[in-house]
Amino acid sequence: MAKPILLTVDDDVDVLRAIERDLRSQYGGDYRVLSSDSPHGALDLLNGLKLRNDGVALLLADQRMPQMDGIGFLQAARQIFPSAKRALLTAYADTNAAISAINEANIDYFFLKPWDPPSEHLYPQLNDMLDDWRASYRPPFQGIRVLGTRWSPSSYELRDFLARSHVPYQWIDVEGSANDPETKRLLEALGPDASELPVVLFPDGAKLLNGAPAEVAQKVGLRTRAETSFYDLAIVGGGPAGLAAAVYGASEGLHTVIIEREAPGGQAGMSSRIENYLGFPSGLSGGDLARRAVVQAKRFGVEILAPQSVVELRIEGPYRILKLADGSEISCHALMIATGVQWRRLEAPGIDQFQGAGVYYGGGTTEAMSCKGEMVYVVGGANSAGQAAMNFSKYAERVVILVRGDSLSSTMSQYLIDQIKQTPNIQLWTHASVSQVHGDKHLEEISVLCTDTDKIERVPATSMYIFIGALPRTDWLGSTIERDDRGFILTGPDLVGEGQRPKGWTLDRAPFLLETNVPGIFAVGDVRHGSVKRVASGVGEGSVAVQFIHQYLSKV
Ligand SMILES: Cc1cc2nc3c(=O)[nH]c(=O)nc-3n(C[C@H](O)[C@H](O)[C@H](O)COP(=O)(O)OP(=O)(O)OC[C@H]3O[C@@H](n4cnc5c(N)ncnc54)[C@H](O)[C@@H]3O)c2cc1C
């Protein structure tokens, strides 16, 4: 924890050094002593400390300084650090000015120069002031702070990324807390930069304007570039299937890398509570599962690049070469595709402009707390929608689940249906589909087509979370890897029609289970044709595939 600061200001460098030395010798163990030889320099320094979220305990300024006197400085400094103790250093001739400053400018104390011996004329009074300050001091948050607005898609993207990457941060909604004096002070300290939201403030004093996940990732030490250019096993996608493959691969000695477009955890990372994963009788959140899996993978030496996308695949003899979004390339002997599925977009006029500003696809765990006292709409009838509704019901005034059918029974697990029935602020709206969305800067209302009556109802809605099925995004594989007509990857037995091996297949064996039409390239989890869309099955496939990879590598 950074020590709080004692700041002293004097244009007379000899006096400045003397007071600095005395402060440091007495208080250096508990405080950092900083100094400035000009009031304007000191105000700049204070603005910088505000952005770093440092605590300032004491401001000690000489009264006679050119451009700005000590009282003027202490008054200006009070706008930045209102709870810091303020004291003047004065010559005997300025005693009257100092006394009136105590009365009129709320200055705590004045010290006469010279203050020798400090044990009599400086420390006792300062001890008193600092004890007083300590009594009401709450150490400031020492991590990353993100300033943005609730309805900004880029703020949402960044917060979602940080949360899913398990990077602790403090969120400051500059609109929602516009009347909070501390927010005002922070915005003033930022000056014109405050318009470049989202602004990310780091504890080392660095700031990022218009912060994007990739830049923040680099700054907090998340790896986006590979350490070497060749791996035994490269895994595209860091969901449950990819993470499981990485743990098994690396624990069995394969030099392994995962490339993940967003944050490790995949869809599972968006789940507020997974209740059907073996070994966790009271369930666990997807974020928790992802965090544990990442720690486990790293322990075995897996490199995780995130956020980083794979955009192209090329085959050169025994090498499988991946082109990444930043233009770099990674080659490997064995490749595993574990890219899962992405949410299908809801077709409704006007919806795209509100994505991240009231309209969200998937989880929304980041947003749940912001929905306090609001109406939340959840579109879809599968387990993912049910889990989200249960999570939002803890914060929202009311959660409405919109489904096209007449019940949840054919699409949702019974345990979730039961939980929903027992939750008074969740309402099920059947025979309903969203036909239009409305709002100015963010979502304000939705129109719902009631298919049983053919009527359209327009209702207020600040947040709508959409869970309407998902499709794989496998276009980046070009024509190299065989897929079904919806883009799911064909593997093993699916490729061997009527005893025929896949086109171009040259080996004297058939493709292994989970192997694609290119030897050494495997597909696991939700992206695979015919897969069971569950965490456990993705984990199972990722783990099993590693056995086939060993067999493949033994003959490369
Ligand atoms: C809200 C929600 C709740 C759920 N609840 C449950 C539950 O309770 N129980 C259960 O069993 N299942 C549940 N599921 C389903 C389960 O999460 C999925 O079946 C599982 O996550 C699939 O794992 P996967 O690794 O195959 O793919 P995903 O989890 O989809 O992971 C794929 C990863 O690949 C990345 N990726 C995609 N393309 C690229 C690329 N080109 N380059 C780099 N990376 C890429 C993606 O960013 C993603 O992180 C839930 C799903 C959701 C969305």
Side-chain angles (χ1 to χ4, degrees):
M1 169 102 25
K3 294 179 200 168
I5 286 156
L6 311 181
L7 173 66
T8 175
V9 191
D10 201 321
D11 64 312
D12 182 332
V13 177
D14 291 334
V15 178
L16 189 66
R17 294 288 157 258
I19 188 80
E20 209 183 336
R21 186 195 56 227
D22 286 346
L23 289 178
R24 199 161 281 140
S25 72
Q26 180 72 5
Y27 302 109
D30 297 325
Y31 296 88
R32 268 180 299 159
V33 178
L34 302 182
S35 65
S36 172
D37 61 6
S38 89
H40 290 292
L43 289 174
D44 286 346
L45 181 62
L46 288 175
N47 275 329
L49 296 174
K50 176 102 280 180
L51 297 182
R52 286 169 54 135
N53 219 13
D54 276 320
V56 174
L58 174 77
L59 300 159
L60 179 57
D62 190 56
Q63 167 60 2
R64 283 206 189 183
M65 294 186 287
Q67 294 159 358
M68 187 187 279
D69 63 21
I71 295 172
F73 165 76
L74 291 173
Q75 282 178 317
R78 191 181 182 202
Q79 306 304 315
I80 309 171
F81 283 99
S83 53
K85 293 289 171 191
R86 294 177 300 282
L88 272 179
L89 265 183
T90 61
Y92 183 73
D94 293 327
T95 309
N96 283 344
I99 291 170
S100 49
I102 289 183
N103 296 328
E104 290 155 24
N106 271 320
I107 282 164
D108 297 290
Y109 203 78
F110 72 93
F111 296 94
L112 284 177
K113 291 190 282 189
W115 54 88
D116 281 330
S119 55
E120 261 181 50
H121 299 306
L122 188 67
Y123 299 147
Q125 298 80 357
L126 279 183
N127 288 345
D128 217 31
M129 287 161 72
L130 291 175
D131 284 349
D132 221 25
W133 178 83
R134 278 259 178 220
S136 56
Y137 173 60
R138 283 210 200 99
F141 178 72
Q142 292 287 307
I144 294 173
R145 286 171 300 155
V146 179
L147 284 81
T149 56
R150 178 177 172 194
W151 303 118
S152 143
S154 48
S155 296
Y156 173 73
E157 187 194 11
L158 186 58
R159 290 165 57 210
D160 194 49
F161 167 74
L162 288 171
R164 289 173 58 198
S165 303
H166 311 290
V167 177
Y169 70 97
Q170 188 181 52
W171 163 240
I172 299 163
D173 176 354
V174 297
E175 282 175 359
S177 65
N179 293 326
D180 175 38
E182 194 52 30
T183 302
K184 284 186 190 160
R185 283 192 278 275
L186 203 51
L187 292 176
E188 269 161 33
L190 272 170
D193 289 348
S195 59
E196 311 282 324
L197 298 171
V199 173
V200 188
L201 301 174
F202 298 92
D204 65 357
K207 64 176 178 245
L208 205 59
L209 308 180
N210 299 310
E215 296 163 301
V216 179
Q218 281 198 333
K219 179 79 184 121
V220 298
L222 297 176
R223 187 183 287 278
T224 56
R225 295 194 139 247
E227 248 175 28
T228 66
S229 55
F230 180 80
Y231 294 83
D232 299 325
L233 170 61
I235 300 167
V236 189
L243 286 165
V247 166
Y248 276 85
S251 67
E252 290 166 17
L254 299 179
H255 186 203
T256 304
V257 64
I258 293 181
I259 305 120
E260 164 54 50
R261 187 177 49 205
E262 293 169 5
Q267 297 169 68
M270 298 176 183
S271 167
S272 49
R273 186 139 292 265
I274 298 169
E275 304 211 35
N276 55 1
Y277 191 61
L278 187 72
F280 294 89
S282 47
L284 85 169
S285 75
D288 219 12
L289 181 68
R291 185 182 50 75
R292 287 161 186 257
V294 166
V295 171
Q296 201 173 5
K298 286 189 173 164
R299 221 189 89 217
F300 287 120
V302 176
E303 240 181 86
I304 301 180
L305 313 186
Q308 181 63 268
S309 301
V310 177
V311 293
E312 214 176 282
L313 167 66
R314 212 171 66 239
I315 316 287
E316 284 180 16
Y319 301 109
R320 282 81 187 93
I321 299 163
L322 297 171
K323 186 169 175 194
L324 310 189
D326 65 359
S328 61
E329 291 192 338
I330 285 179
S331 69
C332 57
H333 272 323
L335 172 64
M336 185 164 305
I337 303 166
T339 49
V341 288
Q342 278 79 44
W343 293 105
R344 219 155 43 76
R345 300 285 172 221
L346 182 74
E347 304 278 338
I351 198 160
D352 288 346
Q353 62 174 311
F354 298 128
Q355 194 178 330
V359 171
Y360 307 95
Y361 288 90
T365 40
T366 320
E367 279 301 291
M369 294 230 263
S370 317
C371 298
K372 227 176 194 151
E374 295 181 355
M375 284 289 278
V376 169
Y377 285 83
V378 171
V379 183
N383 280 2
S384 47
Q387 278 181 14
M390 286 302 299
N391 190 35
F392 290 126
S393 71
K394 290 184 231 152
Y395 308 95
E397 169 79 23
R398 178 162 291 276
V399 180
V400 181
I401 304 177
L402 295 175
V403 289
R404 285 171 189 258
D406 57 4
S407 77
L408 294 173
S409 58
S410 60
T411 51
M412 198 178 281
S413 298
Q414 193 57 42
Y415 79 90
L416 270 172
I417 297 179
D418 293 343
Q419 286 179 5
I420 286 168
K421 273 192 191 143
Q422 286 155 17
T423 310
N425 64 337
I426 301 184
Q427 177 195 334
L428 179 64
W429 189 347
T430 55
H431 302 290
S433 61
V434 179
S435 60
Q436 209 173 340
V437 296
H438 319 270
D440 181 15
K441 290 194 177 119
H442 60 86
L443 182 72
E444 289 168 34
E445 291 177 320
I446 56 173
S447 291
V448 180
L449 170 66
C450 308
T451 48
D452 49 349
T453 58
D454 232 12
K455 286 202 176 118
I456 291 184
E457 275 192 48
R458 191 164 161 157
V459 290
T462 42
S463 309
M464 176 166 72
Y465 295 87
I466 302 165
F467 301 83
I468 53 165
L471 286 173
R473 266 200 254 151
T474 44
D475 301 352
W476 61 276
L477 291 166
S479 56
T480 319
I481 303 294
E482 283 189 32
R483 283 158 276 165
D484 68 13
D485 52 4
R486 294 196 299 154
F488 289 96
I489 297 175
L490 301 173
T491 52
D494 298 328
L495 290 160
V496 190
E498 291 159 12
Q500 296 287 309
R501 302 245 162 105
K503 216 167 111 207
W505 186 266
T506 53
L507 303 183
D508 58 3
R509 61 164 175 86
F512 291 128
L513 189 75
L514 308 172
E515 193 173 26
T516 69
N517 58 304
V518 177
I521 301 186
F522 295 77
V524 291
D526 283 13
V527 73
R528 198 178 63 75
H529 169 85
S531 62
V532 178
K533 310 279 183 287
R534 289 282 184 271
V535 174
S537 50
V539 167
E541 289 187 12
S543 322
V544 166
V546 171
Q547 291 313 309
F548 298 114
I549 286 173
H550 282 302
Q551 291 183 41
Y552 168 77
L553 289 176
S554 68
K555 297 217 169 123
V556 173

